[in-house]
Each structure stands twice: as structure tokens, then as C-alpha cells.
Amino acid sequence: MKRIFVINGGQVFGHSGGRFNKTIADKTISFFENNEGFEVRSTDINQPYDIKQEVENYKWADVVIYHTPVWWFQLPNEFKKYIDVVFTEGHNNGIYHSDGRSSANPTINYGTGGMMHGKKYMLTTSWNAPKEAFTLPGEFFQEKSVDEGPMFGFHRMNAFTGMEPLESIHFHDVEKNADVPNDLQRYEAHLNKIFVNEYKMELSA
């Protein structure tokens, strides 16, 4: 059984009702509940959560799936708070033990103190920005992808714990030109590609 931990970081705030990320998170949970070979747990950062239990969820999981909108090129503030308090609770308790350096040579090995080696994570993000803002010359993100640009720090955060990335998926222009049915179809294909097809190959190997 693959153990999947789903985190909905789509904060309800201001003019954002968090509906898109809630829809994507619900789709994720339903997908794993309806495919054999998976167990699933989930957290919605808009609902009360127990910090110690969240650490246990990370320790339990084989794969962590993050769903988040990107606000002002960063995580929503409540999702960032969730990461801060849960990872702090996870110090010497399954998430990381140190920054990896030693007093003998403090200039090397930074970021190697994670305790989650062997686990993987997947990121989905949603944007007001169209995908062309990341790909076209002269456009805002200077031809840097979501993963190499705005979300680079998020990926390094997970690398600090020892987790390895699965292929991300990003949803663009969801505020002005949303096409939720197409996004859901594309997302289901992404989940099938990564988790069903590759999982079957792993089992038959």
C-alpha cells in the first residue's frame, strides 16, 4: 500500500474563497480512495489541526501532495504558518535533525540533515498568471518555469527534509479565464501517469 498525505493549502481569505484548490484537493482524495493500493490522509489548513498529528502524517506518508495557490509569488500566509509550526515540531522527530553541517567543517553539507529520505512529494499550484508569462521572451517571469522560479524555495524546503520531487502540475489563469473541467481532466491524467501507471510498473518489476 502506498500512503498518501494530501495537504490543501488553499486559504480562504479576502476575495479568494479557496474553491479551486479545495476542488483539486477533493479530486486528489477521491482519486486515491477509488484506486486500489493506496491509503490516504488529508489536512485542510482552513480547519483546526493538531501539530503533533501533522508531524505523524508526514512520518506516515510515502508521498506528500501539496495543493496551493500562489499569492504575491509566495505561499498563502496560513499555509506558510502551517509549514513553520509543523516542521518546527518535526525537529528531531522525523522531519529533520539539523541543517546537516558539523562544527568541524561548517561551510559544507548544509541542507543534508533531513530525516525523510525515501519519501516523495508532489506540488500543484494555481495562478492568476497565464502560462505564457513563464515561457515567452520579454514576459514577466523571464522564461523561468514555476518550479525553477517562484517555487524554487519551496522545492529546496522539501529537499532539506530529504524528500524527492515528483513531477509538479500548475494551473494558470484561473482567476480571469478558468476552465475547471479541462484542468480537472488534465490533473486526472497527471495522477494516472504518476501514480497508477508507474505504480503498476513498480509492482510488476
Side-chain angles (χ1 to χ4, degrees):
M1 296 286 283
K2 288 277 190 183
R3 294 173 292 189
I4 312 295
F5 178 36
V6 180
I7 303 172
N8 176 20
Q11 183 179 346
V12 178
F13 175 80
H15 66 275
S16 173
R19 291 183 299 276
F20 182 82
N21 279 277
K22 178 69 163 58
T23 299
I24 296 295
D26 287 347
K27 177 73 171 177
T28 307
I29 295 165
S30 175
F31 176 87
F32 289 112
E33 287 179 342
N34 289 296
N35 277 282
E36 292 184 1
F38 299 98
E39 295 179 73
V40 62
R41 295 182 184 178
S42 64
T43 292
D44 185 329
I45 59 99
N46 297 285
Q47 304 299 322
Y49 53 84
D50 179 86
I51 297 169
K52 293 183 184 299
Q53 180 58 49
E54 296 308 300
V55 173
E56 292 305 312
N57 289 338
Y58 269 90
K59 291 160 66 174
W60 168 85
D62 298 311
V63 179
V64 178
I65 299 181
Y66 299 103
H67 300 298
T68 184
V70 179
W71 293 356
W72 292 107
F73 319 115
Q74 301 175 66
L75 300 182
N77 59 83
E78 287 293 335
F79 187 22
K80 179 59 167 64
K81 177 184 175 182
Y82 171 91
I83 294 293
D84 288 343
V85 297
V86 172
F87 280 30
T88 298
E89 183 67 27
H91 179 221
N92 279 327
N93 183 25
I95 293 183
Y96 75 103
H97 61 76
S98 71
D99 69 10
R101 297 179 295 165
S102 70
S103 57
N105 194 341
T107 63
I108 63 169
N109 293 325
Y110 178 80
T112 61
M115 301 174 72
M116 299 185 71
H117 296 278
K119 298 177 183 288
K120 297 183 179 181
Y121 72 95
M122 190 184 85
L123 171 65
T124 82
T125 66
S126 59
W127 295 79
N128 173 49
K131 65 179 183 297
E132 291 81 6
F134 298 88
T135 61
L136 293 180
E139 288 299 310
F140 186 78
F141 290 101
Q142 301 176 344
E143 298 179 77
K144 287 185 172 62
S145 70
V146 171
D147 297 298
E148 295 171 335
M151 300 309 291
F152 178 79
F154 185 87
H155 286 296
R156 299 321 297 161
M157 174 197 83
N158 284 282
F160 192 97
T161 73
M163 287 195 288
E164 297 180 357
L166 297 168
E167 182 183 350
S168 303
I169 184 169
H170 308 294
F171 304 99
H172 297 284
D173 214 357
V174 299
E175 191 168 332
K176 294 184 174 68
N177 295 295
D179 185 353
V180 176
N182 182 65
D183 283 339
L184 289 174
Q185 185 176 27
R186 186 164 64 92
Y187 183 50
E188 183 161 7
H190 182 80
L191 290 174
N192 274 302
K193 171 188 169 185
I194 291 177
F195 292 101
V196 175
N197 297 342
E198 294 186 7
Y199 182 50
K200 286 179 179 176
M201 289 175 62
E202 182 180 314
L203 289 176
S204 63

